[in-house]
Amino acid sequence: MNLTLIAGARPNFMKIAPIIEAIEAKKKQGADINYRLVHTGQHYDEHLSGRFFDELHIPRPDINLGVGSGTQAEQTAAIMIGFENELKYYPSDLVMVVGDVTSTMACTIVAKKSGIKVAHVEAGIRSGDMGMPEEINRIVTDSLTDYFFTTSGYANANLKGLGVPESKIFFVGNVMIDTLLKQEPRFKQPTLWNDLELSPKNYVVLTLHRPGNVDDPHALKQLVTGIANHSKGLPVIFPVHPRTEKLLSTLDLNLDSLHCLKPLGYLEFNYLVKNALAVITDSGGVTEEATVMHVPCMTLRTSTERPETCAIGTNVLVGNDPEKIEHAFDLLHAGQWKTGGIPELWDGHAAERIVDHLMTIFEL
């Protein structure tokens, strides 16, 4: 069996890595599985360097299509052209896509038009927000997918509601959590820990990247100022994306508790999250990690494609509503945050279950 694995952005590699590890384990047992890891180059990321792959023991891609930045249409077209050419030279029995980036959708379309079946890891998740490009990517990908590997009962229900046969849905758990649990013993204290005299449960972590939160200068200033004020003097550690940093520098923020810094590596960032009093974020991935590490999480969005982090985990949706943010901080400071659990099958073995299903599907 020849398998093509697609990654378009840094988080995709963290989802692909445990799958490759599980494949290699099967190969050592004699399974006939060959794979090729394709990086579309959709997102340029300075952390996608040799150090990134070495630090997290992530395999380097066999090829980088070098798509680069551009509009949604430009990226989609470039990915499709590059991947079509890839498949001409390296035919595949199955293309596996992960998550919901543009590469996920574009490579799915190319594979299906080439007569190749598609497996989607993290299939079926929905936010209900059609203003998110990722939501469109999910819908298109799942409309073409052959094998659906899901993270939760919510995703299963979404797919069944679309008429997907149960025989095509495989509830396997969350591959991002495979990576988190594997790397947790290696989390690394960043140098700022001592520089800022941090201590466990005595600071909060903030991340922002969604356009609705960071593109409007007035809204961004109001949001960050409110968070800093409600922290009641606790340090607010804010690793800032370069795009947001340019805007922040024009806002003349003078907040003693706010500490802006450059993006951190995976091991350092998650060390901070694990030891934080709370994390405040608009990232879906961070809400998953916070849930598993039992860290209170305020999500600065009005909807989420990961409702299990709210229903079962430690996550609460607050949008950018000042009253909801203030109420969430009141609960946090009063020690009244809900006690979250860990969703079913978020146990570090999702990738093994995926590969076991592939062995059955392809009779390997």
Side-chain angles (χ1 to χ4, degrees), residues 85-104:
N85 195 51
E86 159 73 16
L87 289 178
K88 284 180 183 176
Y89 288 97
Y90 298 94
S92 179
D93 300 307
L94 178 71
V95 170
M96 178 172 283
V97 296
V98 299
D100 50 24
V101 297
T102 301
S103 299
T104 306

Side-chain angles (χ1 to χ4, degrees), residues 18-332:
I19 296 172
I20 288 179
E21 185 175 351
I23 290 172
E24 291 289 358
K26 291 295 184 186
K27 287 182 71 172
K28 288 179 181 177
Q29 296 171 13
D32 182 20
I33 308 180
N34 298 303
Y35 65 87
R36 188 165 164 82
L37 177 55
V38 175
H39 178 20
T40 66
Q42 175 189 333
H43 290 169
Y44 171 75
D45 188 334
E46 63 186 22
H47 293 289
L48 280 182
S49 61
R51 181 183 173 191
F52 168 79
F53 293 107
D54 292 339
E55 184 179 53
L56 296 184
H57 305 142
I58 291 174
R60 284 176 171 78
D62 292 291
I63 188 172
N64 186 330
L65 302 182
V67 168
S69 60
T71 67
Q72 292 281 327
E74 288 169 339
Q75 279 197 331
T76 302
I79 293 165
M80 291 179 72
I81 292 168
F83 188 52
E84 184 179 54
N85 195 51
E86 159 73 16
L87 289 178
K88 284 180 183 176
Y89 288 97
Y90 298 94
S92 179
D93 300 307
L94 178 71
V95 170
M96 178 172 283
V97 296
V98 299
D100 50 24
V101 297
T102 301
S103 299
T104 306
M105 175 188 70
C107 291
T108 295
I109 294 171
V110 171
K112 291 300 290 182
K113 287 196 172 189
S114 302
I116 300 169
K117 291 190 174 182
V118 173
H120 183 199
V121 176
E122 289 191 350
I125 64 174
R126 297 288 187 275
S127 69
D129 181 1
M130 291 297 288
M132 294 176 63
E134 297 92 338
E135 186 76 351
I136 297 166
N137 295 339
R138 296 171 195 134
I139 291 168
V140 174
T141 300
D142 283 342
S143 71
L144 297 171
T145 291
D146 297 281
Y147 308 111
F148 303 79
F149 294 104
T150 62
T151 59
S152 72
Y154 293 97
N156 298 342
N158 289 336
L159 293 170
K160 290 174 187 176
L162 294 171
V164 176
E166 276 197 57
S167 61
K168 299 291 186 181
I169 300 171
F170 305 92
F171 177 32
V172 294
N174 191 331
V175 288
M176 275 287 281
I177 303 308
D178 289 14
T179 294
L180 181 76
L181 295 179
K182 179 181 178 180
Q183 300 298 337
E184 191 171 11
R186 303 178 61 239
F187 288 173
K188 185 165 56 178
Q189 189 180 93
T191 56
L192 66 90
W193 184 270
N194 292 324
D195 295 342
L196 299 179
E197 298 181 346
L198 300 180
S199 59
K201 309 305 176 187
N202 201 35
Y203 63 92
V204 298
V205 173
L206 170 65
T207 80
L208 291 170
H209 76 283
R210 296 199 178 273
N213 287 328
V214 302
D215 281 1
D216 182 306
H218 175 73
L220 178 60
K221 183 173 184 178
Q222 186 178 46
L223 184 60
V224 172
T225 301
I227 290 168
N229 289 339
H230 291 313
S231 73
K232 293 187 176 180
L234 291 178
V236 178
I237 311 302
F238 185 12
V240 184
H241 188 281
R243 182 166 163 269
T244 307
E245 185 179 22
K246 292 178 183 177
L247 184 57
L248 273 178
S249 65
T250 69
L251 298 184
D252 191 31
L253 291 172
N254 187 21
L255 303 165
D256 291 339
S257 60
L258 183 67
H259 301 278
C260 297
L261 52 137
K262 293 187 181 301
L264 296 168
Y266 181 87
L267 299 178
E268 292 181 323
F269 176 74
N270 277 299
Y271 181 96
L272 286 180
V273 171
K274 182 178 180 180
N275 289 285
L277 178 65
V279 60
I280 306 158
T281 186
D282 57 11
S283 162
V286 173
T287 67
E288 294 173 295
E289 292 163 341
T291 280
V292 171
M293 292 189 282
H294 302 288
V295 176
C297 179
M298 303 178 204
T299 296
L300 302 168
R301 292 168 56 187
T302 56
S303 65
T304 177
E305 63 279 7
R306 296 167 175 87
E308 61 274 20
T309 65
C310 297
I312 301 167
T314 57
N315 185 26
V316 172
L317 296 178
V318 295
N320 53 16
D321 184 329
E323 290 186 6
K324 289 184 178 179
I325 293 170
E326 182 178 8
H327 177 66
F329 267 105
D330 288 342
L331 292 175
L332 182 68

Side-chain angles (χ1 to χ4, degrees), residues 335-351:
Q336 296 176 354
W337 201 268
K338 64 176 181 173
T339 301
I342 297 177
E344 185 181 0
L345 297 187
W346 290 25
D347 57 3
H349 300 286

